[in-house]
Amino acid sequence: MVVTRFAPSPTGYLHIGGLRTALFSYLWAKKNNGEFVLRIEDTDKARNSEEATQAILKAFEWLGLEHNGEITYQSQRDEVYAKYIKQLLDEGKAYKCYMSKEELTELRETQMANKERTKYNGKYRDFDGTPPEGAEPVIRIKAPLTGEILVKDGVKGDVSFQAQDILDDFVIARADGAPTYNFVVAIDDHLMGINEVIRGDDHLSNTPKQIVVYNALGWDLPKFYHVPMIHNSAGKKLSKRDGATDVMAYKEMGYTPEALLNFLVRLGWSYGDQEIFSMDEMENLFSPKDINKSASIYNTEKLDWLNAHYIKNTPNSELAELLTQYDLVLTSHDKKEILLDELKERAKTLKELATLTKEILTTPTSYDEKAVKKAFKGNAIEVINTFGAKLSACGDLHLPTDYHAIMEETITEMEVGFGKIGQPLRVALLGKMTGPGLDSVMAILGKEETMLRIANAITANS
Ligand code: GLU
């Protein structure tokens, strides 16, 4: 069974790059009827916070990415790690190093002065003497000091590291017993049964160290997929300004989970030239073997385009629910269908949809000056006044076409072109020259509100 994982360090919110690797891991587990598990890497007490953990979980909930089983918290597994540290010590695969901070600093400075790579010099590797008085040892693992460490990567192919260039006997437990990052990642990935590790390629350089731990414990390696970073349009690593923001900020900006996930799946992965993928399609088609070798480019227009697509295809009742986050209660509005049918074609985000809706539903209290100048020329007031009178004289009107017929009637009778009614009416109803189709606006507002707005505009602009 394929078991994948997402292993965030809760140092802040979940960002878009993290979410993408989580999505890839999730999809690959789904495709294989496997499991996707979540591990919170919260061992760094100074930098981790409970709020950050909760923020990450909230983002997962919003996006509907469910994980299997209980969440593993590294902060609760000290005993597990201690057991393997002891095992490695007992087997002579790790050892206590008593080197003082001063000694280490001196070693580093000498190496730097000689333009050598800074690394531990193995002083206590085979030590069997009496430890220095009062020294609290760290535990170091015996790493191979020569030879090749091969990372067989599912994205990058075979990546070969030379032990003498990158390794030393690195610390696996600090003086206070706290285990170190690469050690616990390897231990947990193995114990949690994770056999396919999909993560950002900023972790590729950690992988040889993790392989050292696997080898020391005689464990099989998982399959690794290191995913290239997401870049901005200038080809630089994505920064906050480009959108490397809190995933939940996308919710506030009015993106739907479907659009965001669809957007992310295409950052670094493709299936022919298909752009739109339902969740089911993603689950069926995604494979980490098809991840691009080069960085992908974050493109806001693409995200907006996808979001517009999903908004257009979301049933109105669902949209009405989603709009409640912008203090817009449409759920029982009797013209909800006409309103959303009209506006959802025009909005790139739910927030924009909310704004457009509020613009229609709010009676204008002022009128755009330029629009007034342009629209209220000649006999414009007379035209909309006539139109208003005709509305008043007829019975109930419901459909956009009902209103359209009366507009037609008015212009025929007054022998003017359509612009002569359209422009002033638009300004009267919306306060400005832009906006959705007038017939629909009137059908949404209803006869009374339409007449009221016409009368207000006439008073204000005569
Ligand atoms: N905790 C690491 C991070 O948040 C990820 C570790 C991994 O995927 O191996 O960057």
Side-chain angles (χ1 to χ4, degrees), residues 122-139:
K123 180 172 177 189
Y124 287 94
R125 190 177 235 238
D126 300 307
F127 179 73
D128 60 2
T130 315
E133 189 104 0
E136 290 286 345
V138 299
I139 313 293

Side-chain angles (χ1 to χ4, degrees), residues 42-111:
D42 54 353
T43 48
D44 185 344
K45 292 180 185 74
R47 294 179 63 227
N48 295 159
S49 75
E50 176 58 24
E51 288 99 279
T53 302
Q54 289 313 318
I56 292 168
L57 299 180
K58 212 168 123 201
F60 268 72
E61 196 185 308
W62 173 55
L63 293 157
L65 294 183
E66 279 174 24
H67 57 87
N68 294 93
E70 298 280 306
I71 300 173
T72 299
Y73 291 88
Q74 284 187 329
S75 59
Q76 297 168 3
R77 290 166 64 79
D78 283 351
E79 278 174 29
V80 175
Y81 309 132
K83 177 182 152 198
Y84 288 99
I85 289 166
K86 181 172 183 304
Q87 182 183 324
L88 290 174
L89 281 172
D90 290 348
E91 291 173 357
K93 292 174 178 164
Y95 60 92
K96 292 179 179 170
C97 167
Y98 297 93
M99 209 149 166
S100 68
K101 273 209 179 86
E102 294 72 28
E103 243 182 308
L104 269 174
T105 310
E106 201 186 313
L107 173 65
R108 183 170 322 116
E109 281 170 0
T110 313
Q111 287 168 338

Side-chain angles (χ1 to χ4, degrees), residues 293-361:
K293 285 188 174 31
S294 49
S296 49
I297 308 289
Y298 184 94
N299 174 341
T300 310
E301 287 84 51
K302 179 77 142 321
L303 174 59
D304 285 349
W305 176 78
L306 283 165
N307 205 45
H309 166 83
Y310 283 100
I311 288 177
K312 238 179 274 176
N313 289 287
T314 302
N316 292 340
S317 53
E318 237 173 88
L319 282 178
E321 284 295 335
L322 291 169
L323 290 174
T324 55
Q325 71 168 312
Y326 303 104
D327 295 326
L328 183 60
V329 183
L330 278 184
T331 21
S332 54
H333 194 283
D334 64 342
K335 293 292 179 343
K336 181 178 72 195
E337 292 296 323
I338 300 178
L339 176 73
L340 292 174
D341 277 346
E342 181 68 30
L343 295 185
K344 69 186 185 181
E345 296 287 333
R346 309 167 66 91
K348 291 194 291 288
T349 64
L350 292 168
K351 193 171 184 175
E352 212 175 291
L353 183 56
T355 306
L356 290 172
T357 306
K358 284 178 188 170
E359 275 175 13
I360 293 185
L361 297 183

Side-chain angles (χ1 to χ4, degrees), residues 174-310:
R174 299 192 184 87
D176 63 2
T180 56
Y181 175 73
N182 284 304
F183 181 70
V184 296
V185 169
I187 299 287
D188 285 341
D189 278 343
H190 172 79
L191 294 181
M192 292 167 76
I194 289 150
N195 45 26
E196 310 242 357
V197 170
I198 302 174
R199 63 183 168 204
D201 69 0
D202 49 340
H203 284 284
L204 182 61
S205 59
N206 287 325
T207 309
K209 288 187 176 180
Q210 293 170 15
I211 290 177
V212 169
V213 177
Y214 276 94
N215 289 345
L217 289 162
W219 292 339
D220 288 340
L221 295 179
K223 179 112 196 92
F224 291 107
Y225 298 92
H226 286 95
V227 185
M229 297 283 100
I230 303 173
H231 283 174
N232 64 17
S233 49
K236 299 257 160 55
K237 214 179 144 196
L238 205 60
S239 76
K240 258 188 198 160
R241 240 175 304 129
D242 308 304
T245 46
D246 181 356
V247 161
M248 292 310 276
Y250 286 82
K251 178 172 190 265
E252 273 155 43
M253 288 187 281
Y255 293 99
T256 65
E258 293 84 352
L260 188 58
L261 294 178
N262 191 152
F263 173 67
L264 288 178
V265 83
R266 286 284 290 104
L267 284 181
W269 174 80
S270 56
Y271 183 77
D273 51 15
Q274 185 170 338
E275 289 292 356
I276 292 174
F277 295 87
S278 67
M279 204 60 199
D280 277 349
E281 279 178 302
M282 286 189 219
E283 288 176 13
N284 288 324
L285 298 173
F286 177 79
S287 165
K289 296 174 185 117
D290 301 327
I291 292 174
N292 291 340
K293 285 188 174 31
S294 49
S296 49
I297 308 289
Y298 184 94
N299 174 341
T300 310
E301 287 84 51
K302 179 77 142 321
L303 174 59
D304 285 349
W305 176 78
L306 283 165
N307 205 45
H309 166 83
Y310 283 100

Side-chain angles (χ1 to χ4, degrees), residues 6 31 65 142 170 178 195 204 219 315 330 403 407 420:
F6 182 52
K31 161 123 179 206
L65 294 183
K142 284 185 181 165
F170 58 91
N195 45 26
L204 182 61
W219 292 339
L330 278 184
Y403 289 89
M407 283 172 83
K420 282 277 181 280

